[in-house]
Amino acid sequence: MMTKSEMAAALNNKQAFLPGKRVKLDFGSEGVVLLDGVANQVTEEDGDADTTIKVAWEDWTALSEGRLDGMTAFMQGKLKVEGDMSNAMQLQGVLSKLRG
Protein backbone atom coordinates (compact mmCIF):
# COMPACT_ATOMS: atom_id res chain seq x y z
CA MET A 1 0.00 0.00 0.00
CA MET A 2 1.44 3.37 -0.96
CA THR A 3 1.84 6.28 1.42
CA LYS A 4 0.16 9.61 0.78
CA SER A 5 3.47 11.09 -0.39
CA GLU A 6 4.02 8.20 -2.79
CA MET A 7 0.50 8.60 -4.12
CA ALA A 8 0.93 12.35 -4.60
CA ALA A 9 4.19 11.72 -6.49
CA ALA A 10 2.55 9.04 -8.66
CA LEU A 11 -0.40 11.31 -9.47
CA ASN A 12 2.00 14.15 -10.28
CA ASN A 13 4.06 11.91 -12.58
CA LYS A 14 0.93 10.85 -14.44
CA GLN A 15 -0.41 14.42 -14.53
CA ALA A 16 -3.58 13.23 -12.82
CA PHE A 17 -5.34 16.56 -12.48
CA LEU A 18 -8.27 18.24 -14.20
CA PRO A 19 -7.06 21.06 -16.50
CA GLY A 20 -7.94 24.47 -15.08
CA LYS A 21 -9.49 23.00 -11.93
CA ARG A 22 -8.24 22.55 -8.40
CA VAL A 23 -9.48 19.45 -6.59
CA LYS A 24 -8.50 18.83 -3.00
CA LEU A 25 -8.50 15.36 -1.47
CA ASP A 26 -8.96 15.84 2.26
CA PHE A 27 -7.94 12.75 4.23
CA GLY A 28 -8.61 14.31 7.63
CA SER A 29 -5.79 13.50 10.06
CA GLU A 30 -3.71 12.17 7.15
CA GLY A 31 -3.63 15.62 5.54
CA VAL A 32 -4.47 16.65 1.99
CA VAL A 33 -3.43 16.17 -1.62
CA LEU A 34 -4.17 19.01 -4.03
CA LEU A 35 -4.70 18.09 -7.67
CA ASP A 36 -3.86 21.51 -9.08
CA GLY A 37 -4.88 21.73 -12.72
CA VAL A 38 -4.14 25.47 -12.69
CA ALA A 39 -0.46 25.07 -11.78
CA ASN A 40 -0.38 21.63 -13.48
CA GLN A 41 0.95 19.78 -10.46
CA VAL A 42 -0.07 17.56 -7.59
CA THR A 43 1.11 18.66 -4.15
CA GLU A 44 0.48 17.93 -0.50
CA GLU A 45 -0.10 21.61 0.25
CA ASP A 46 -3.45 22.78 1.49
CA GLY A 47 -5.12 25.55 -0.48
CA ASP A 48 -8.31 26.79 -2.09
CA ALA A 49 -10.03 24.34 -4.42
CA ASP A 50 -13.05 24.26 -6.74
CA THR A 51 -13.96 20.91 -5.26
CA THR A 52 -13.00 19.29 -1.96
CA ILE A 53 -13.43 15.56 -1.53
CA LYS A 54 -13.40 14.36 2.06
CA VAL A 55 -12.61 10.69 2.44
CA ALA A 56 -10.77 8.53 4.99
CA TRP A 57 -7.35 7.33 3.82
CA GLU A 58 -8.44 3.67 4.18
CA ASP A 59 -11.49 4.27 1.97
CA TRP A 60 -9.39 6.18 -0.58
CA THR A 61 -6.96 3.26 -0.71
CA ALA A 62 -9.87 0.90 -1.35
CA LEU A 63 -11.13 3.23 -4.09
CA SER A 64 -7.73 3.52 -5.75
CA GLU A 65 -7.29 -0.26 -5.69
CA GLY A 66 -10.74 -0.82 -7.18
CA ARG A 67 -12.09 -2.54 -4.06
CA LEU A 68 -14.60 0.26 -3.44
CA ASP A 69 -16.75 1.97 -6.04
CA GLY A 70 -16.84 5.78 -5.94
CA MET A 71 -20.62 6.03 -6.22
CA THR A 72 -21.08 3.38 -3.53
CA ALA A 73 -18.69 5.25 -1.24
CA PHE A 74 -20.63 8.47 -1.88
CA MET A 75 -24.00 6.80 -1.19
CA GLN A 76 -22.65 5.25 2.03
CA GLY A 77 -21.38 8.63 3.20
CA LYS A 78 -17.75 7.49 3.10
CA LEU A 79 -16.98 10.13 0.51
CA LYS A 80 -18.24 13.70 0.85
CA VAL A 81 -18.02 16.34 -1.87
CA GLU A 82 -17.95 20.10 -1.30
CA GLY A 83 -18.06 22.52 -4.20
CA ASP A 84 -18.33 21.59 -7.88
CA MET A 85 -19.69 18.05 -8.11
CA SER A 86 -18.80 17.67 -11.80
CA ASN A 87 -15.09 17.71 -10.91
CA ALA A 88 -15.66 14.84 -8.49
CA MET A 89 -17.36 12.85 -11.25
CA GLN A 90 -14.17 13.05 -13.32
CA LEU A 91 -12.06 11.54 -10.56
CA GLN A 92 -12.69 8.02 -11.81
CA GLY A 93 -10.30 8.88 -14.63
CA VAL A 94 -7.75 10.13 -12.10
CA LEU A 95 -8.01 6.86 -10.18
CA SER A 96 -7.55 4.82 -13.33
CA LYS A 97 -4.26 6.69 -13.90
CA LEU A 98 -3.07 5.49 -10.50
CA ARG A 99 -3.74 1.89 -11.52
CA GLY A 100 -2.46 2.33 -15.07
Side-chain angles (χ1 to χ4, degrees):
M1 182 171 125
M2 60 173 76
T3 65
K4 183 169 73 78
S5 294
E6 288 168 343
M7 184 199 73
L11 288 169
N12 193 48
N13 289 341
K14 294 180 179 172
Q15 299 191 330
F17 40 76
L18 307 176
K21 304 287 183 186
R22 293 169 63 126
V23 179
K24 179 163 54 182
L25 303 172
D26 182 346
F27 302 115
S29 61
E30 295 284 336
V32 305
V33 169
L34 186 64
L35 310 177
D36 191 340
V38 178
N40 295 333
Q41 63 182 359
V42 178
T43 71
E44 291 180 78
E45 292 171 29
D46 204 344
D48 292 332
D50 299 296
T51 304
T52 299
I53 295 169
K54 295 188 172 186
V55 60
W57 178 251
E58 296 77 31
D59 292 329
W60 173 261
T61 303
L63 282 164
S64 62
E65 292 172 354
R67 292 184 284 116
L68 178 63
D69 176 67
M71 195 48 84
T72 303
F74 182 75
M75 295 301 208
Q76 292 175 343
K78 292 181 176 179
L79 187 149
K80 296 184 174 66
V81 179
E82 295 173 0
D84 189 339
M85 180 67 95
S86 63
N87 294 333
M89 295 303 198
Q90 297 178 60
L91 271 193
Q92 208 62 39
V94 169
L95 286 170
S96 67
K97 288 188 180 183
L98 260 185
R99 288 185 221 123

